[in-house]
PDB file of all heavy atoms in Angstrom:
ATOM      1  N   ASP A  14       4.699 -17.447 -23.090  1.00 91.00           N
ATOM      2  CA  ASP A  14       5.750 -17.932 -22.213  1.00 91.00           C
ATOM      3  C   ASP A  14       5.763 -17.090 -20.940  1.00 91.00           C
ATOM      4  O   ASP A  14       5.119 -16.041 -20.855  1.00 91.00           O
ATOM      5  CB  ASP A  14       7.103 -17.883 -22.914  1.00 91.00           C
ATOM      6  CG  ASP A  14       7.458 -16.477 -23.363  1.00 91.00           C
ATOM      7  OD1 ASP A  14       7.018 -16.068 -24.459  1.00 91.00           O
ATOM      8  OD2 ASP A  14       8.146 -15.782 -22.608  1.00 91.00           O
ATOM      9  N   HIS A  25      -0.243  -4.166 -17.320  1.00 95.00           N
ATOM     10  CA  HIS A  25      -1.486  -4.027 -16.554  1.00 95.00           C
ATOM     11  C   HIS A  25      -1.254  -3.180 -15.303  1.00 95.00           C
ATOM     12  O   HIS A  25      -2.109  -2.369 -14.928  1.00 95.00           O
ATOM     13  CB  HIS A  25      -2.026  -5.401 -16.160  1.00 95.00           C
ATOM     14  CG  HIS A  25      -2.661  -6.162 -17.288  1.00 95.00           C
ATOM     15  ND1 HIS A  25      -3.610  -5.605 -18.120  1.00 95.00           N
ATOM     16  CD2 HIS A  25      -2.480  -7.441 -17.729  1.00 95.00           C
ATOM     17  CE1 HIS A  25      -4.002  -6.502 -19.008  1.00 95.00           C
ATOM     18  NE2 HIS A  25      -3.328  -7.610 -18.794  1.00 95.00           N
ATOM     19  N   VAL A  28      -1.385   0.579 -15.853  1.00 89.00           N
ATOM     20  CA  VAL A  28      -2.710   1.198 -15.950  1.00 89.00           C
ATOM     21  C   VAL A  28      -3.568   0.858 -14.727  1.00 89.00           C
ATOM     22  O   VAL A  28      -4.784   1.011 -14.736  1.00 89.00           O
ATOM     23  CB  VAL A  28      -3.425   0.787 -17.255  1.00 89.00           C
ATOM     24  CG1 VAL A  28      -2.674   1.310 -18.457  1.00 89.00           C
ATOM     25  CG2 VAL A  28      -3.593  -0.728 -17.357  1.00 89.00           C
ATOM     26  N   SER A  36      -3.786 -12.110 -12.810  1.00 96.00           N
ATOM     27  CA  SER A  36      -4.107 -13.252 -13.663  1.00 96.00           C
ATOM     28  C   SER A  36      -2.922 -13.609 -14.558  1.00 96.00           C
ATOM     29  O   SER A  36      -2.578 -14.785 -14.724  1.00 96.00           O
ATOM     30  CB  SER A  36      -5.334 -12.937 -14.522  1.00 96.00           C
ATOM     31  OG  SER A  36      -6.478 -12.751 -13.717  1.00 96.00           O
ATOM     32  N   ALA A  39      -0.244 -15.259 -12.452  1.00 96.00           N
ATOM     33  CA  ALA A  39      -0.587 -16.633 -12.084  1.00 96.00           C
ATOM     34  C   ALA A  39      -0.284 -17.579 -13.244  1.00 96.00           C
ATOM     35  O   ALA A  39       0.254 -18.683 -13.036  1.00 96.00           O
ATOM     36  CB  ALA A  39      -2.061 -16.710 -11.687  1.00 96.00           C
ATOM     37  N   SER A  41       1.893 -16.992 -15.639  1.00 96.00           N
ATOM     38  CA  SER A  41       3.348 -17.007 -15.790  1.00 96.00           C
ATOM     39  C   SER A  41       3.984 -17.961 -14.777  1.00 96.00           C
ATOM     40  O   SER A  41       4.872 -18.757 -15.124  1.00 96.00           O
ATOM     41  CB  SER A  41       3.911 -15.598 -15.596  1.00 96.00           C
ATOM     42  OG  SER A  41       5.323 -15.591 -15.620  1.00 96.00           O
ATOM     43  N   ILE A  44       3.696 -21.629 -15.586  1.00 94.00           N
ATOM     44  CA  ILE A  44       4.616 -22.068 -16.635  1.00 94.00           C
ATOM     45  C   ILE A  44       6.041 -22.203 -16.099  1.00 94.00           C
ATOM     46  O   ILE A  44       6.729 -23.187 -16.364  1.00 94.00           O
ATOM     47  CB  ILE A  44       4.592 -21.079 -17.821  1.00 94.00           C
ATOM     48  CG1 ILE A  44       3.209 -21.088 -18.482  1.00 94.00           C
ATOM     49  CG2 ILE A  44       5.668 -21.424 -18.855  1.00 94.00           C
ATOM     50  CD1 ILE A  44       3.025 -19.995 -19.517  1.00 94.00           C
ATOM     51  N   LEU A 108      26.598  -3.733  -7.807  1.00 96.00           N
ATOM     52  CA  LEU A 108      25.948  -3.930  -9.103  1.00 96.00           C
ATOM     53  C   LEU A 108      25.848  -2.624  -9.887  1.00 96.00           C
ATOM     54  O   LEU A 108      26.023  -2.600 -11.104  1.00 96.00           O
ATOM     55  CB  LEU A 108      24.550  -4.520  -8.895  1.00 96.00           C
ATOM     56  CG  LEU A 108      24.491  -5.982  -8.452  1.00 96.00           C
ATOM     57  CD1 LEU A 108      23.059  -6.350  -8.079  1.00 96.00           C
ATOM     58  CD2 LEU A 108      25.006  -6.897  -9.555  1.00 96.00           C
ATOM     59  N   ARG A 117      20.054   0.142 -18.344  1.00 94.00           N
ATOM     60  CA  ARG A 117      18.736   0.399 -17.754  1.00 94.00           C
ATOM     61  C   ARG A 117      18.694  -0.092 -16.309  1.00 94.00           C
ATOM     62  O   ARG A 117      18.142   0.573 -15.427  1.00 94.00           O
ATOM     63  CB  ARG A 117      17.651  -0.283 -18.587  1.00 94.00           C
ATOM     64  CG  ARG A 117      16.228   0.130 -18.209  1.00 94.00           C
ATOM     65  CD  ARG A 117      15.220  -0.482 -19.167  1.00 94.00           C
ATOM     66  NE  ARG A 117      15.495  -0.115 -20.537  1.00 94.00           N
ATOM     67  CZ  ARG A 117      15.185   1.045 -21.096  1.00 94.00           C
ATOM     68  NH1 ARG A 117      14.587   1.975 -20.366  1.00 94.00           N
ATOM     69  NH2 ARG A 117      15.462   1.281 -22.365  1.00 94.00           N
ATOM     70  N   LEU A 126      20.159   3.036  -4.888  1.00 97.00           N
ATOM     71  CA  LEU A 126      21.312   3.336  -4.040  1.00 97.00           C
ATOM     72  C   LEU A 126      21.199   4.741  -3.451  1.00 97.00           C
ATOM     73  O   LEU A 126      21.516   4.961  -2.274  1.00 97.00           O
ATOM     74  CB  LEU A 126      22.601   3.205  -4.856  1.00 97.00           C
ATOM     75  CG  LEU A 126      23.901   3.525  -4.113  1.00 97.00           C
ATOM     76  CD1 LEU A 126      24.096   2.581  -2.935  1.00 97.00           C
ATOM     77  CD2 LEU A 126      25.085   3.455  -5.071  1.00 97.00           C
ATOM     78  N   CYS A 129      18.996   4.645  -0.532  1.00 96.00           N
ATOM     79  CA  CYS A 129      19.663   4.036   0.623  1.00 96.00           C
ATOM     80  C   CYS A 129      20.603   5.040   1.290  1.00 96.00           C
ATOM     81  O   CYS A 129      20.615   5.174   2.525  1.00 96.00           O
ATOM     82  CB  CYS A 129      20.455   2.807   0.184  1.00 96.00           C
ATOM     83  SG  CYS A 129      19.457   1.435  -0.413  1.00 96.00           S
ATOM     84  N   ASN A 147      19.963   9.657 -13.366  1.00 94.00           N
ATOM     85  CA  ASN A 147      19.344  10.565 -14.331  1.00 94.00           C
ATOM     86  C   ASN A 147      20.126  10.596 -15.635  1.00 94.00           C
ATOM     87  O   ASN A 147      19.541  10.622 -16.725  1.00 94.00           O
ATOM     88  CB  ASN A 147      19.247  11.970 -13.747  1.00 94.00           C
ATOM     89  CG  ASN A 147      18.153  12.089 -12.700  1.00 94.00           C
ATOM     90  OD1 ASN A 147      17.223  11.293 -12.682  1.00 94.00           O
ATOM     91  ND2 ASN A 147      18.272  13.071 -11.823  1.00 94.00           N
ATOM     92  N   ALA A 156      18.951   7.337 -26.971  1.00 87.00           N
ATOM     93  CA  ALA A 156      19.175   6.179 -27.837  1.00 87.00           C
ATOM     94  C   ALA A 156      17.867   5.664 -28.429  1.00 87.00           C
ATOM     95  O   ALA A 156      17.844   5.111 -29.538  1.00 87.00           O
ATOM     96  CB  ALA A 156      19.867   5.072 -27.049  1.00 87.00           C
ATOM     97  N   ARG A 168       2.277  23.250 -28.270  1.00 91.00           N
ATOM     98  CA  ARG A 168       1.320  23.296 -29.380  1.00 91.00           C
ATOM     99  C   ARG A 168       0.244  22.226 -29.213  1.00 91.00           C
ATOM    100  O   ARG A 168      -0.942  22.480 -29.495  1.00 91.00           O
ATOM    101  CB  ARG A 168       2.061  23.109 -30.712  1.00 91.00           C
ATOM    102  CG  ARG A 168       2.901  24.313 -31.127  1.00 91.00           C
ATOM    103  CD  ARG A 168       3.314  24.205 -32.590  1.00 91.00           C
ATOM    104  NE  ARG A 168       4.194  23.064 -32.814  1.00 91.00           N
ATOM    105  CZ  ARG A 168       5.525  23.114 -32.729  1.00 91.00           C
ATOM    106  NH1 ARG A 168       6.123  24.242 -32.384  1.00 91.00           N
ATOM    107  NH2 ARG A 168       6.258  22.038 -32.957  1.00 91.00           N
ATOM    108  N   GLY A 176      -9.775  22.722 -28.830  1.00 82.00           N
ATOM    109  CA  GLY A 176     -10.761  21.721 -29.202  1.00 82.00           C
ATOM    110  C   GLY A 176     -11.875  21.554 -28.196  1.00 82.00           C
ATOM    111  O   GLY A 176     -12.995  21.205 -28.556  1.00 82.00           O
TER     112      GLY A 176
END
Side-chain angles (χ1 to χ4, degrees):
D14 59 275
H25 285 310
V28 296
S36 296
S41 175
I44 295 171
L108 288 171
R117 191 174 303 281
L126 178 61
C129 294
N147 286 338
R168 288 194 295 270

